[in-house]
Amino acid sequence: MRQLSFMPNRRRPVSLALAAAALASMPAAAFAAEKTGMSSEGIFVLEVILLLVVGRGIGELLERLGQPAVMGQLIGGILLGPSLLGWLWPAAERLVFAGDAAQKSMINAIAQFGVLMLLLLTGMETDLRLVRRVGRACFSISATGVAVPFALGFVAAQFMPASLLAAGSERIVSGLFLGTALSISSVKIVAMVVREMNFMRRDLGQIIVSSAIIEDTIGWVIIAITIGIATHGRIELASLAFTLAGVAAFMAFSFTLGRRIVFDAIRWTNDTFRSEYAVVTVILAIMGGMALVTDLIGVHTVLGAFVAGILVGESPILSRHIEGQLRGVITALFMPVFFGVAGLSADLTVLVDPELALLTVALVAIASLGKFGGAFIGAEAAGMSRSEGIAVGCGMNARGSTEVIVASIGLSIGVISHTLFTMIVTMAVITTLAMPPTLRWALGRLPMGEAEKKRLEREEVDQRGFITNLERLLVVVDEGVVGRFAAYLAGVISAGKPTTVLHTSGESEADPVEAAHLDEIEKGAEQGREAAKEADEEPAHEAPLTRRTHDAPLSAEAVAKEARKGYGMLLIGLGRAMTAKGGFSRRLNEVAGAFEGPLCLVLKPAGVGRQMPRLGPGSGRILVPVNGTANARRGAELALAVASVTGAPVKVLYVARPGRDEPRDTVSHRRREAVLKDIVALADRYGVEIETAIRSRAAAADAIARQAGRNVALIVMGVARRPGEELIFGETTSGVLQRCPCPVMLISDARLRRDDEGREALRSGTGTG
């Protein structure tokens, strides 16, 4: 532990050296460019390298100091521009960064596309479910948090010296732009500090982040409308009405039909294309298309990119995977280049003028007091305490990246002057650097309530859960009663998650039941959504349900082809899945062998009647054998997920190994208590009351079989999948399947890779089986 505590101290000199090396590279690179006579392409590459290296180096230093790294990228651009390099070595700065118009357009093109990429990523990080969960408080805070600084900024623009306004622009238009710039908070900066303080899951942390999300959304709509006004140079009621109508229609279409189009496009691309990063290409195309639409209706392309990011972020398929792929290229390339170019446009030397320095101080004061006061008023109106209102006001007072983007757009369309742009960038840097320490101070003074503590405990259980983190489900069923029962259980488990059903014929029992698997899945999913509402949880959205029918018995190749599209679990319900001797049929082995991930098998042993059970209150119990392994816990979670929807009673049976886990063994006793305590916590999370028992004197299969004869409707077991081509889960599982008079549901871990099979063969089984 001592070594770990000293790691930050050892690594700090490394970050300082990196930042120093980045700064030292500035004159050397400029000198090389001046002496070698680089081509325009070479200078462009040099510009990008300098912005990346200097911005990353200073950003690393600031992050070590507890500040946002994005501010280092902005400061890096300021240092490379007229504020430092242009002041110390004007010829070098002009050569590298202030060339002719064609040279500037090359780096500006990357920066402008970077704005769209940044807004795409910001939208993907916008969690609308969080906003809906928090409720009224964040809407009150965001409304006053936008209105107060917006009004102050608009009024301030009316009294500014004319020299600070762009030539030919009206004060009303400049006031709208300045008011918007002062009223938006940076979601990225706010979320970073809240997450760093471990407050992201706290009630107040979610209110702060949700308020910033709403402010961002409102701000980009206002910016889009303001830009539409600015393009005409004055307010024209006809054009303003057209812009407002266009924005309203665009937003309405995007969050209704557009949402479904985006979901289907991502799912279709993921399921159809075999080439690498095809989904990322489609996302970029969606972003570009929506940006063009907003441009056609007379507002800026940033609104389209932002809304596209929100829709992509809510996509139920591979959203985290996609976000990770996009985040890498955006944060590594586009973000440093854009903020670096923004910093190049700022000239801090103008602040040597005492009048401009005082105006900048006044701008910082107006922005800070307006944002803090507006957010505090909103918190008071929502019934929050004074300490919470102070924390909210501190959290909202970070402009950061959003402010710079707004100011850059205003500069590019000629609404604000270079001097006012410099003042706004200075204000953004000061308020952003001041926000983390003030928010840390405010959050550190807030206690935690009992209800909030319980919610955090429930979410902590979810983080370790398998079912709660399942993103997509693949289901293989036939026409029989087992297939219908498995389809119903699939709907209960998925509760609205994207599900694909591979329906096969030829595997059912005699007298097949009418195939109604989609209805069964919908029935189970609807029950899951209703259960979530009753538990005051956010119900899942209705997700795509796809059915693929195979007239002939389903082949392993068909399952493997579908599995390549990305699924978290394969659930199988086949009528003839077991042989007369209690083993698994060849067809089941082939289907299961085509899937590398976790398996869930719904099985009807030979002694079970023709009808499958009806799960619900007053029905037979769900029996869950556990023994402390990860697979057994997964089985318990699956059973509790089913019970939480169906209302079936649950009994958890701890099965100890005779001769190894004797009852009087203190270590074993503590282990059992810890296992059952974990299962009880899991049951509390699902809102299910459970009965527990311990059996240690008999063999595991015997103990489970005896309990199965006492009004048990379903047995759910977490088992270990042994190496080999055929399904083998161990002697306990075989004994249960041969002796128990009720259906059995097995859930296993992922299939071992070949290079792991040898090592695993040396170990004993780790599951209940």
Side-chain angles (χ1 to χ4, degrees):
M1 294 298 292
R2 287 196 182 98
Q3 286 185 342
L4 289 175
S5 65
F6 283 111
M7 282 181 66
N9 292 332
R10 291 202 306 267
R11 296 174 68 176
R12 184 167 293 172
V14 176
S15 63
L16 291 172
L18 178 61
L23 292 173
S25 67
M26 293 161 44
F31 180 77
E34 184 177 11
K35 294 300 183 182
T36 58
M38 284 186 180
S39 63
S40 59
E41 292 82 3
I43 292 178
F44 167 72
V45 173
L46 178 60
E47 289 175 336
V48 173
I49 292 174
L50 283 175
L51 293 175
L52 293 179
V53 173
V54 175
R56 184 63 62 188
I58 300 177
E60 179 73 14
L61 175 60
L62 287 181
E63 191 164 353
R64 297 289 180 186
L65 297 176
Q67 295 289 346
V70 67
M71 285 295 99
Q73 298 164 8
L74 177 62
I75 293 173
I78 293 174
L79 297 180
L80 288 171
S83 301
L84 181 63
L85 183 59
W87 178 54
L88 297 175
W89 193 356
E93 192 265 338
R94 286 195 301 270
L95 177 66
V96 180
F97 293 107
D100 57 14
Q103 183 68 47
K104 284 185 176 181
S105 64
M106 296 174 69
I107 192 69
N108 285 336
I110 299 294
Q112 292 304 314
F113 190 72
V115 173
L116 300 183
M117 297 291 284
L118 282 171
L119 268 296
L120 173 70
L121 184 60
T122 301
M124 292 177 65
E125 294 173 340
T126 300
D127 189 353
L128 295 184
R129 290 176 299 177
L130 178 63
V131 175
R132 290 190 290 266
R133 186 185 309 132
V134 172
R136 183 174 63 91
C138 60
F139 289 97
S140 173
I141 293 168
S142 58
T144 55
V146 169
V148 174
F150 182 89
L152 293 177
F154 182 84
V155 172
Q158 310 311 309
F159 296 95
M160 279 186 173
S163 58
L164 296 181
L165 305 179
S169 65
E170 288 192 357
R171 284 189 180 271
I172 293 179
V173 177
S174 299
L176 292 173
F177 218 95
L178 184 61
T180 306
L182 267 59
S183 61
I184 301 180
S185 298
S186 174
V187 175
K188 286 180 176 294
I189 307 301
V190 172
M192 180 211 67
V193 178
V194 172
R195 186 179 295 112
E196 177 196 299
M197 289 287 295
N198 201 25
F199 258 74
M200 183 58 81
R201 291 167 48 228
R202 293 280 301 271
D203 290 341
L204 185 61
Q206 293 185 354
I207 289 175
I208 293 174
V209 174
S210 299
S211 301
I213 290 172
I214 296 176
E215 286 188 9
D216 239 30
T217 306
I218 295 173
W220 289 117
V221 173
I222 296 175
I223 279 292
I225 296 172
T226 303
I227 292 171
I229 296 172
T231 55
H232 296 85
R234 62 187 182 278
I235 296 179
E236 295 179 355
L237 294 180
S239 62
L240 178 59
F242 175 80
T243 300
L244 290 173
V247 171
F250 172 76
M251 299 294 285
F253 176 83
S254 298
F255 289 102
T256 52
L257 184 60
R259 184 199 301 269
R260 174 60 60 186
I261 293 174
V262 171
F263 290 1
D264 289 344
I266 293 175
R267 179 171 59 91
W268 180 81
T269 304
N270 176 76
D271 293 353
T272 306
F273 283 70
R274 299 294 299 274
S275 55
E276 291 185 318
Y277 306 115
V279 174
V280 175
T281 302
V282 169
I283 289 174
L284 295 179
I286 291 172
M287 178 199 73
M290 296 184 73
L292 289 176
V293 171
T294 54
D295 184 68
L296 290 175
I297 63 177
V299 298
H300 202 276
T301 53
V302 293
L303 179 62
F306 179 68
V307 174
I310 293 177
L311 300 183
V312 170
E314 289 196 323
S315 172
I317 296 180
L318 302 177
S319 56
R320 276 179 282 183
H321 180 58
I322 294 167
E323 184 180 340
Q325 291 177 339
L326 284 170
R327 183 186 299 277
V329 67
I330 293 173
T331 56
L333 174 61
F334 291 104
M335 188 179 291
V337 170
F338 168 74
F339 288 111
V341 171
L344 292 173
S345 301
D347 185 2
L348 298 185
T349 59
V350 301
L351 301 182
V352 176
D353 186 337
E355 182 181 357
L356 291 178
L358 288 175
L359 288 174
T360 303
V361 171
L363 185 64
V364 173
I366 291 173
S368 300
L369 294 176
K371 176 58 72 174
F372 180 90
F376 184 83
I377 293 171
E380 288 281 326
M384 301 174 66
S385 67
R386 181 160 298 180
S387 298
E388 291 174 331
I390 292 174
V392 170
C394 293
M396 293 293 100
N397 196 31
R399 273 57 176 204
S401 55
T402 308
E403 191 84 3
V404 177
I405 294 173
V406 173
S408 299
I409 294 173
L411 181 65
S412 66
I413 64 175
V415 176
I416 61 176
S417 64
H418 275 85
T419 301
L420 183 55
F421 173 82
T422 299
M423 295 168 61
I424 294 175
V425 169
T426 303
M427 180 268 294
V429 172
I430 293 174
T431 57
T432 302
L433 296 181
M435 178 267 202
T438 56
L439 182 58
R440 292 187 187 101
W441 167 80
L443 291 179
R445 302 166 60 239
L446 296 173
M448 184 186 300
E450 188 63 28
E452 183 178 13
K453 183 178 180 181
K454 290 183 178 179
R455 180 181 62 80
L456 293 178
E457 291 174 351
R458 184 177 69 245
E459 291 179 357
E460 186 176 354
V461 172
D462 285 349
Q463 288 181 342
R464 297 193 298 126
F466 172 74
I467 301 300
T468 52
N469 292 306
L470 186 65
E471 289 188 350
R472 197 179 187 192
L473 181 63
L474 178 61
V475 180
V476 175
V477 291
D478 64 10
E479 299 170 337
V481 292
V482 177
R484 291 192 63 179
F485 184 61
Y488 168 72
L489 292 176
V492 170
I493 296 168
S494 67
K497 296 182 176 69
T499 303
T500 299
V501 181
L502 301 182
H503 176 258
T504 176
S505 61
E507 290 297 313
S508 63
E509 303 158 329
D511 300 328
V513 181
E514 180 184 357
H517 304 86
L518 294 184
D519 292 339
E520 293 291 338
I521 290 181
E522 289 285 7
K523 175 183 175 183
E526 181 60 29
Q527 283 186 260
R529 287 190 287 268
E530 290 297 326
K533 291 179 181 178
E534 292 179 4
D536 292 329
E537 297 178 6
E538 182 71 21
H541 294 294
E542 293 189 23
L545 179 59
T546 305
R547 180 182 181 183
R548 308 189 197 283
T549 302
H550 296 261
D551 294 331
L554 187 66
S555 66
E557 291 76 11
V559 176
K561 180 180 178 181
E562 185 68 31
R564 283 194 293 267
K565 300 173 183 178
Y567 291 89
M569 186 174 72
L570 169 62
L571 188 148
I572 305 177
L574 301 177
R576 295 177 180 175
M578 300 188 64
T579 65
K581 296 181 179 180
F584 299 118
S585 67
R586 177 183 175 185
R587 178 63 60 190
L588 178 61
N589 276 293
E590 290 178 350
V591 171
F595 190 78
E596 298 292 334
L599 289 176
C600 182
L601 308 180
V602 179
L603 303 170
K604 186 172 77 68
V608 180
R610 295 284 302 277
Q611 297 298 321
M612 298 300 280
R614 292 286 182 183
L615 300 177
S619 67
R621 294 179 296 185
I622 299 177
L623 178 63
V624 188
V626 297
N627 64 356
T629 63
N631 289 311
R633 187 184 191 277
R634 183 175 293 183
E637 183 186 357
L638 176 63
L640 292 170
V642 173
S644 67
V645 175
T646 62
V650 176
K651 181 169 184 177
V652 177
L653 180 67
Y654 185 95
V655 183
R657 301 183 223 178
R660 296 186 183 182
D661 299 339
E662 292 299 329
R664 295 182 182 179
D665 188 329
T666 304
V667 176
S668 299
H669 181 69
R670 290 177 180 173
R671 181 171 181 266
R672 294 171 202 160
E673 286 186 340
V675 170
L676 292 178
K677 183 178 179 181
D678 179 53
I679 301 299
V680 170
L682 196 59
D684 288 341
R685 180 263 172 267
Y686 281 98
V688 176
E689 293 186 4
I690 63 173
E691 178 186 352
T692 61
I694 298 176
R695 297 292 182 269
S696 59
R697 297 302 179 100
D702 295 337
I704 297 170
R706 279 198 292 268
Q707 287 293 324
R710 301 174 183 175
N711 191 29
V712 171
L714 177 67
I715 298 176
V716 180
M717 297 175 60
V719 295
R721 191 174 179 180
R722 307 294 175 85
E725 296 298 326
E726 295 186 356
L727 291 176
I728 301 176
F729 300 118
E731 294 180 0
T732 299
T733 304
S734 298
V736 170
L737 292 174
Q738 290 174 5
R739 300 175 54 185
C740 291
C742 60
V744 178
M745 196 173 186
L746 304 179
I747 180 169
S748 76
D749 48 3
R751 182 180 182 181
L752 293 173
R753 296 179 179 178
R754 292 189 177 275
D755 55 354
D756 294 332
E757 290 182 1
R759 292 190 295 272
E760 186 64 22
L762 300 177
R763 306 173 186 171
S764 60
T766 57
T768 305

